[in-house]
């Protein structure tokens, strides 16, 4: 399929323009040189512009339009205490005059910092619950029932906005990247990014398949080494995207390259390699990564480079998916 055709299908979906797009595609010449190649590029999705930006802002454009079309006056979503998705959804809700309930998994910390501080400044109704991610949907449904009884029209945004409506934002991102690459006469060989709840990767892989590019998308799973469940979820989201956009070719598990080797001890646990990667990118390129997602994904990219995974003249695009407010929460582990 041609890019223009895919773009037309996306343009038919309800969307509210929130993110500042296109985000820049920048070269990282000093980092590439230091690591001895390949040619490294960075797609600055940390610069999407609203309330510290990040990948969720691309998803939010479609999520908010869907919520408003369905008559919602309050959004409900979930995430970890330092969820970037919660912060971006809170900001977008405010921008559009909606209320927001955040069902955050974890204990209320004594100090509000990073994303949680921002959620609070944005006036989100924050509810801390001790449960794992699988129990979040029933918890949100319970909140939705309460709100309905009070006469509200709630809309539940699944965790990470990783459902077809949100993930379409990353089909759009791939189109944007392909167009930037064409303009720069750049032949992209690989895209590397952090994968958490799967929507970003589902969008990128769906676009890749529809456009039949030769680009290999490498998702770095930042939660666990085992990744079969997320692989299945990515395929499921991609199939939902195919239905939304009326795409013929379905994504299957072979299209999903998900690497769990750099997750360390799990979600939100900083690895020493990620801390090193954050400092290296800051000190060679002046770009700040984050401790939960992009730091680990960059540590993975650096390790693959050291293992000789890429050719010297390959072009590798790292997607900076944001998350920088969490840097402040990890200050004691980052300054050693
Ligand atoms: C900064 C950052 N990077 C990457 C991701 C992963 O994106 P996804 O959940 O779509 O896999 C997230 C999601 O929480 C994030 O906040």
């Amino acid at each position: 399929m041609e890019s223009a055709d895919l773009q037309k299908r996306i343009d038919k979906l309800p969307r509210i323009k929130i993110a500042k797009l296109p985000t820049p595609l920048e070269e990282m010449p000093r980092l590439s040189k230091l690591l001895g190649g390949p040619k490294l590029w960075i797609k600055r999705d940390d610069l999407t512009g609203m309330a510290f930006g990040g990948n969720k802002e691309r998803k939010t454009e479609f999520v908010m339009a869907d919520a408003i079309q369905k008559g919602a006056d309050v959004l409900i979503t979930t995430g970890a205490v330092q969820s970037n998705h919660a912060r971006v959804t809170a900001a977008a809700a405010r921008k559009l005059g909606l209320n927001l309930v955040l069902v955050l998994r974890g204990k209320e910390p004594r100090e509000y910092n990073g994303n949680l501080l921002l959620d609070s400044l944005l006036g989100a109704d924050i509810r801390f619950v001790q449960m794992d991610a699988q129990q979040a949907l029933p918890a949100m449904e319970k909140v939705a029932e309460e709100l309905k009884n009070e006469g509200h029209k709630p809309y539940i945004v699944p965790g990470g906005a990783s459902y077809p409506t949100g993930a379409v934002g990353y089909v759009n991102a791939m189109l944007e990247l392909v167009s930037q690459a064409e303009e720069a006469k750049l032949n992209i060989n690989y895209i590397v990014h952090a994968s958490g709840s799967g929507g970003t990767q589902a969008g990128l892989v769906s676009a890749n398949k529809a456009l039949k590019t030769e680009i290999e998308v490498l998702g770095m799973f930042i939660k666990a080494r085992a990744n079969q469940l997320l692989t299945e979820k990515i395929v499921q989201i991609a199939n939902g995207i195919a239905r939304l956009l009326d795409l013929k070719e379905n994504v299957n598990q072979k299209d999903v390259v998900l690497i769990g080797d750099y997750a360390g001890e799990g979600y939100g646990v900083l690895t020493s390699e990620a801390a090193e990667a954050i400092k290296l990118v800051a000190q060679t390129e002046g770009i700040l990564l984050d401790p939960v997602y992009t730091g680990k994904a960059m540590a993975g990219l650096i390790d693959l480079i050291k293992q000789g995974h890429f050719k010297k003249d390959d072009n590798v695009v790292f997607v900076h998916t944001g998350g920088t407010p969490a840097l402040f929460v990890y200050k004691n582990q980052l300054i050693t």
Side-chain angles (χ1 to χ4, degrees), residues 54-56 59 83-85 87 159-162 170 193-201 222-223 230 267 290 293-294 320-324:
N55 62 337
K56 305 300 175 191
K59 298 179 179 182
S83 165
N84 298 302
H85 158 71
R87 178 244 313 160
S162 284
Y170 268 85
H193 71 96
S195 221
S197 57
T200 301
Q201 192 159 359
I222 53 75
K223 293 188 181 172
L230 185 63
Y267 181 75
D290 86 286
Y293 295 92
T294 52
H320 189 334
T321 43
T324 45

Side-chain angles (χ1 to χ4, degrees), residues 195 219-231 257-267 271 273 296 303 307:
S195 221
M220 298 289 179
F221 186 33
I222 53 75
K223 293 188 181 172
R225 184 176 278 271
N227 52 33
Q228 183 55 27
L229 280 179
L230 185 63
T231 302
V257 182
L258 194 55
I259 301 169
D261 298 352
Y262 306 100
E265 284 174 44
Y267 181 75
T271 61
E273 292 82 4
K296 284 186 181 175
D303 189 56
Q307 284 180 35

